[in-house]
Amino acid sequence: ILFTLAMLLIFRIGAQIPVPGMDRDVLAQTFDSDTGLFALFNLFSGGAFSNFTIFALSITPYITASIILQLLTIAVPSLERLAREGTEGRKKIAAYARYLTVGLAVVQAIGVTIGLFRQALISTDVFSVIVIVMVLTAGTAFLMWLGEMINERGIGNGISLIIFAGIIARLPFACQEIWNKLQDGTMSIITLIVFVLFCVVVIVGIIMVQQGQRRILVQYAKRVVGRKMYGGQATHIPLKVNRS
């Protein structure tokens, strides 16, 4: 637990280190005027996206790479054979996921730097852009390593914990924003109650799908050995809804 907390602390420290070569005032204006999809990215990165820190891309390239490889495992025979080889095969697939993560991170870093936040670049020369892209890519690779360290030496589920820590880090700011809106009168107490009830319903629905299962009845036949009778009891095979 202590090791996991230390890794999450490193993640939060890195989320405050800005990428060099970006104008913070322009970035602030961009996020003040535009929410929606940007706000969603910012939520998963724990505020690193809006501040354009070294963890601005968060762990999303790794998640995308993992999903792509899972789909390719069904379509590509060589990957399917690797998946059936057990531990060694999974290690090779995990290595492919790391390489694909770096490639996707480079593409996303270029798109974010030159596409979304081109106006925030202090200098548009090639060297400055390369430095920014390399820093963003290295940040994602480092987060991927942090997640794997939590899996090996911590409590597990490293990638999920990093995403969770990023979302939780934004919770105090969200509560403060709601309080300010209540004070200003831009949000009514009824709207807040409806929002809270909606959140509760969504959480309950997620838990129901996560825990939901179809129980397939299994009836064992009775058999007599000597003077004793064995079997005859009933059990079930739980098939998870979410797994299917």
Side-chain angles (χ1 to χ4, degrees), residues 14-85:
Q16 309 302 320
I17 302 174
V19 174
M22 301 296 291
D23 191 332
R24 305 293 146 193
D25 295 332
V26 176
L27 287 173
Q29 293 173 6
T30 302
F31 280 89
D32 285 341
S33 59
D34 195 349
T35 54
L37 192 59
F38 280 1
L40 181 64
F41 289 151
N42 196 41
L43 176 67
F44 283 111
S45 65
F49 188 68
S50 61
N51 296 324
F52 214 77
T53 64
I54 59 176
F55 294 155
L57 296 183
S58 187
I59 202 68
T60 50
Y62 179 75
I63 297 172
T64 307
S66 300
I67 294 172
I68 290 174
L69 279 174
Q70 285 180 8
L71 294 175
L72 289 179
T73 301
I74 303 173
V76 180
S78 58
L79 289 177
E80 188 177 358
R81 285 194 297 270
L82 280 177
R84 293 177 178 176
E85 289 179 4

Side-chain angles (χ1 to χ4, degrees), residues 166-233:
I167 295 174
I168 290 299
R170 299 297 300 169
L171 192 59
F173 300 99
C175 293
Q176 183 181 5
E177 185 178 354
I178 291 173
W179 175 255
N180 292 335
K181 288 183 177 180
L182 287 174
Q183 294 293 325
D184 298 339
T186 55
M187 177 186 290
S188 65
I189 189 68
I190 297 176
T191 304
L192 179 59
I193 293 173
V194 171
F195 175 72
V196 171
L197 289 176
F198 177 75
C199 290
V200 171
V201 170
V202 170
I203 293 172
V204 170
I206 291 172
I207 293 174
M208 289 179 64
V209 174
Q210 177 68 25
Q211 299 297 328
Q213 59 185 14
R214 176 68 180 270
R215 297 186 174 186
I216 306 300
L217 183 65
V218 178
Q219 182 73 43
Y220 289 96
K222 295 180 180 179
R223 57 193 180 93
V224 179
V225 179
R227 295 184 177 181
K228 294 184 178 180
M229 181 178 294
Y230 296 92
Q233 73 272 21

